Structures are given as structure tokens and as C-alpha cells.
């Protein structure tokens, strides 16, 4: 609703007023009281709360409480015009017992709710509660499972067998999530908390070639194999309220190391019977906590949930100058338990 400002002169008195110019728009009103006369509220983007009243068979109209600036004799002051009381009187003419209360009611949602509640009981002759149920946060619990394909890059390590390969691998995750759907905007906004058990496995191969013979004489196969627990927090926005409900989510995650079975195998064709195994070549600079950025695109259908998620993490290197970067694409499936 756009507003225009105007200054009118009446005799020697100037009145500064805020006139409303009505334009058509589609909005969603939140019910405060539902009955023969109903009361609604609308929170504007500028944080201004508007209140609407509706009588059965009629369209909702906004209750108006106008303030004007009045100047007279070199002085000015604010004059408040409780137009809304006259509007309520026209809706409640069939219940004269409330006339005094209407003429004194304050322009507050709580006071207006009590008035409309009293009117509905007076008009129907039946005691009851016409006040709408207060909107609350809705909680749901999901079981989760999925697979991911991970790309690990290591930069700055003096060992070429770690620095040069591109490590890739498949992993899986299992766990649960708590979805807290906020009541406003028809439940489009939600917060998601996840607790997951995650396997992690990537593998890369490096061949050290003799430049004179151009034959492979040493082959390094490094496998990073870990178990982690992940705690993720995301915000989610749902686009549609239909049978299939698409959404997008964005948040952060924390992966904590539970166990590490990483190792490196070294093979040389000069010693075909020798296949040595060593411990994790990065064990002395391993960090047990990884932080990730999460972006998901998915949808819900009945109790089922499916999502494609991108994860970008800072890896597990604790050494200055040695950088690790984890990037993963995951497919997640969920089932609503509650």
C-alpha cells in the first residue's frame, strides 16, 4: 500500500495528513480471531503491523488509526483520530451491550482480540473460544542415509606422493535430523540440525619414473580412510506448498575424527615380491576437526525427502603451509519418523 502526503488548509488551520492510496495486491493475513466477525494481522516488510476486521459475507478492511499534524496560532501538535472505533461500531451494531467497550478500545492486538471475542459470544449467544490457536514452531524428526563422491586435494606437502595425486573416493553416511519449521510464511522457513556418522575414503596413486629408462620403478598408493561424526546446522527455504515441495538449504558443518585407518602402499617392480605397507603419511600433521560449507537442493513428498548436497571443507591438515581441500557431491535420502 503506497502512501501520499498532503497539506490541506481549513480556515486558519493547517492539517498535515497521510492519505492512503489503495492498490491491489495479494497478501496472506494471519488469523487472530475467527467468528461472525474475524480479526487478522499483517506484518509489513517495514515491521509495521496492520490489523484487519471482517464481518461474515464482507471483504476484510484495515482498521485505521490516523495521526495528523495540526498547526494553529504558530503552534503545532499531533491529533490522533481513532477512525477504527467507528469502523468497529458499524460491524457490531447488533450487540449494543458492547457499545461502551468499542468506544474505548485501544488500538492494540490484545485489546482488539478481546473485543472481537466478546462480540462473537454476544452475537452467537454461545460461550466459546473464537481466538485462533497461536502459531508455534513445528518439529519433525528424520532418519537419513546417503552416499557421496569426494575430491581431496593436498597442496604444499614436500612428499610428491601426497602433493601431486588427485584423491577421489566413495563414502556413506547414516544419521538423523531435527527439522524446526517456523510458523510464518506458511512454513516456508525452517532450521535443520543433523547428527551423522560418516565414513570417509579417498585414494590416489603416484608413480615415480626413472627419467633415463622411462620405466616405473616406484608406485605409491595412498588411501585416506577415516570414520567421522558430523554435526550440521542449516537454514532451509521451501518454494511451493504442493504434493512435491522443493527446497534449498544452506549451512555449516563440523566433522570430528573418530578413527583413522589411513595408509600408504609402496611397490617397486625391482622387488616384485616386496609390497610394503606404512602408516598414515600425514599422521603427524592430522587435525581431528574439519569445517564445511553446505549447499543442498532437494524436495519432499509425503514422508520422503531427497536431496543433492554440495560440501566444501578445509580438510584435515594442521600444518602451516600444507593445505587440504575436501569437495564432495552427496545424494541424501530421508524418511520422516515424526
Amino acid at each position: 500500500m503506497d502512501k501520499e502526503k498532503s497539506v490541506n488548509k481549513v480556515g486558519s488551520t493547517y492539517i498535515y495528513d497521510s492519505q492512503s492510496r489503495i492498490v491491489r495486491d495479494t497478501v496472506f493475513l494471519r488469523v487472530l480471531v475467527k467468528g461472525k466477525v474475524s480479526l487478522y494481522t499483517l506484518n509489513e516488510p517495514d515491521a509495521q503491523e496492520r490489523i484487519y476486521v471482517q464481518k461474515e459475507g464482507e471483504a476484510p478492511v484495515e482498521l485505521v488509526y490516523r495521526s495528523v499534524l495540526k498547526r494553529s496560532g504558530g503552534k503545532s501538535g499531533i491529533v490522533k483520530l481513532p477512525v477504527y472505533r467507528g469502523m468497529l461500531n458499524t460491524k457490531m451494531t447488533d450487540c449494543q451491550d458492547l457499545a461502551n467497550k468499542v468506544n474505548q478500545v485501544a488500538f492494540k492486538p490484545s485489546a482488539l482480540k478481546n473485543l472481537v471475542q466478546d462480540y462473537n459470544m454476544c452475537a452467537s449467544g454461545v460461550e466459546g473460544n473464537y481466538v485462533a490457536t497461536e502459531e508455534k514452531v513445528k518439529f519433525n524428526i528424520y532418519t537419513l542415509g546417503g552416499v557421496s563422491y569426494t575430491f581431496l586435494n593436498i597442496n604444499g606437502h614436500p612428499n610428491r606422493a601426497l602433493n601431486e595425486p588427485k584423491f577421489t573416493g566413495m563414502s556413506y553416511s547414516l544419521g538423523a535430523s531435527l527439522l524446526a519449521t517456523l510458523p510464518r510464511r506458511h512454513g516456508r522457513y525452517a532450521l535443520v540440525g543433523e547428527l551423522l556418522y560418516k565414513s570417509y575414503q579417498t585414494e590416489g596413486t603416484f608413480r615415480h619414473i626413472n627419467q633415463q629408462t622411462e620405466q616405473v620403478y616406484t608406485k605409491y598408493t595412498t588411501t585416506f580412510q577415516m570414520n567421522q561424526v558430523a554435526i550440521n546446522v542449516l537454514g532451509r527455504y521451501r518454494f511451493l506448498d504442493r504434493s512435491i515441495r522443493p527446497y534449498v538449504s544452506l549451512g555449516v558443518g563440523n566433522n570430528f575424527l573418530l578413527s583413522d585407518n589411513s595408509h600408504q602402499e609402496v611397490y617397486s617392480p625391482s622387488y616384485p615380491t616386496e609390497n610394503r605397507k606404512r602408516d598414515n603419511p600425514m599422521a603427524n600433521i592430522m587435525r581431528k576437526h574439519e569445517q564445511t560449507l553446505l549447499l543442498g537442493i532437494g524436495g519432499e513428498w509425503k514422508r520422503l525427502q531427497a536431496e543433492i548436497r554440495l560440501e566444501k571443507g578445509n580438510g584435515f591438515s594442521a600444518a602451516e603451509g600444507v593445505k587440504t581441500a575436501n569437495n564432495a557431491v552427496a545424494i541424501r535420502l530421508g524418511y520422516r519418523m515424526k
Side-chain angles (χ1 to χ4, degrees):
M1 181 178 289
D2 297 329
K3 290 188 174 182
E4 296 175 343
K5 297 178 180 178
S6 61
V7 178
N8 301 319
K9 182 177 181 181
V10 181
S12 61
T13 301
Y14 288 88
I15 299 177
Y16 176 81
D17 199 356
S18 177
Q19 302 292 337
S20 297
R21 179 167 57 87
I22 298 176
V23 296
R24 289 188 176 275
D25 196 2
T26 300
V27 296
F28 295 99
L29 302 178
R30 184 165 66 93
V31 180
L32 296 178
V33 182
K34 190 68 175 176
K36 187 174 181 179
V37 167
S38 299
L39 197 68
Y40 305 92
T41 184
L42 170 67
N43 287 322
E44 293 282 50
D46 60 2
Q48 181 179 3
E49 185 176 34
R50 300 181 182 275
I51 302 175
Y52 294 77
V53 66
Q54 179 187 34
K55 193 163 186 177
E56 282 183 339
E58 301 177 3
V61 293
E62 182 180 358
L63 295 178
V64 178
Y65 191 11
R66 183 168 294 164
S67 298
V68 297
L69 178 62
K70 184 176 180 180
R71 296 190 180 95
S72 179
K75 297 181 180 180
S76 62
I78 299 294
V79 178
K80 295 185 177 181
L81 303 177
V83 181
Y84 69 95
R85 290 174 181 167
M87 301 172 68
L88 290 169
N89 264 316
T90 62
K91 305 290 184 184
M92 301 179 178
T93 54
D94 52 340
C95 193
Q96 291 300 318
D97 292 343
L98 294 177
N100 290 334
K101 188 171 183 178
V102 172
N103 291 327
Q104 297 176 13
V105 66
F107 194 71
K108 297 179 180 179
S110 58
L112 293 169
K113 282 169 62 176
N114 291 334
L115 173 65
V116 177
Q117 165 83 342
D118 290 345
Y119 167 80
N120 286 323
M121 288 191 291
C122 174
S124 65
V126 178
E127 292 281 341
N129 184 17
Y130 297 88
V131 178
T133 303
E134 190 70 21
E135 294 178 320
K136 298 180 180 179
V137 177
K138 181 182 178 182
F139 294 96
N140 295 111
I141 297 176
Y142 286 80
T143 58
L144 301 175
V147 295
S148 61
Y149 192 76
T150 304
F151 305 84
L152 168 66
N153 291 326
I154 302 175
N155 294 297
H157 200 284
N159 187 343
R160 293 176 61 193
L162 297 177
N163 203 51
E164 294 191 12
K166 302 300 181 183
F167 295 89
T168 60
M170 294 288 295
S171 306
Y172 70 88
S173 62
L174 297 170
S177 69
L178 177 64
L179 177 70
T181 303
L182 306 181
R184 298 299 178 89
R185 301 286 296 175
H186 290 261
R188 292 182 183 271
Y189 294 97
L191 295 175
V192 184
E194 298 177 342
L195 180 63
L196 302 170
Y197 169 82
K198 297 175 65 175
S199 73
Y200 178 92
Q201 182 166 326
T202 60
E203 185 175 285
T205 301
F206 172 75
R207 292 177 174 84
H208 191 176
I209 302 176
N210 187 318
Q211 298 298 324
Q212 295 181 347
T213 63
E214 296 186 355
Q215 294 179 352
V216 176
Y217 70 89
T218 307
K219 175 183 176 183
Y220 300 85
T221 302
T222 306
T223 302
F224 291 101
Q225 187 175 358
M226 310 173 200
N227 295 312
Q228 301 170 323
V229 61
I231 300 175
N232 303 328
V233 178
L234 304 99
R236 200 184 79 168
Y237 178 77
R238 194 181 71 227
F239 292 101
L240 301 174
D241 191 13
R242 297 180 181 175
S243 58
I244 298 178
R245 302 178 295 277
Y247 65 82
V248 61
S249 58
L250 179 67
V252 295
N254 292 274
N255 299 327
F256 299 93
L257 184 66
L258 294 177
S259 62
D260 180 15
N261 299 310
S262 303
H263 58 274
Q264 186 179 76
E265 297 181 359
V266 182
Y267 171 76
S268 175
S270 301
Y271 304 94
T273 60
E274 186 175 2
N275 191 359
R276 302 194 306 270
K277 290 188 177 181
R278 299 197 303 214
D279 294 333
N280 181 357
M282 290 187 64
N284 59 332
I285 58 170
M286 286 285 289
R287 181 176 53 190
K288 296 183 179 181
H289 173 217
E290 178 190 15
Q291 296 139 335
T292 60
L293 293 176
L294 309 172
L295 172 64
I297 300 174
E300 294 179 331
W301 179 71
K302 295 184 178 179
R303 288 180 171 268
L304 300 179
Q305 178 188 97
E307 179 180 328
I308 297 176
R309 180 173 293 183
L310 305 179
E311 301 184 15
K312 185 177 182 64
N314 57 6
F316 43 76
S317 171
E320 185 175 353
V322 179
K323 304 297 182 181
T324 52
N326 265 325
N327 296 293
V329 179
I331 297 177
R332 305 275 301 279
L333 298 177
Y335 180 80
R336 190 175 76 242
M337 302 292 294
K338 178 183 178 181

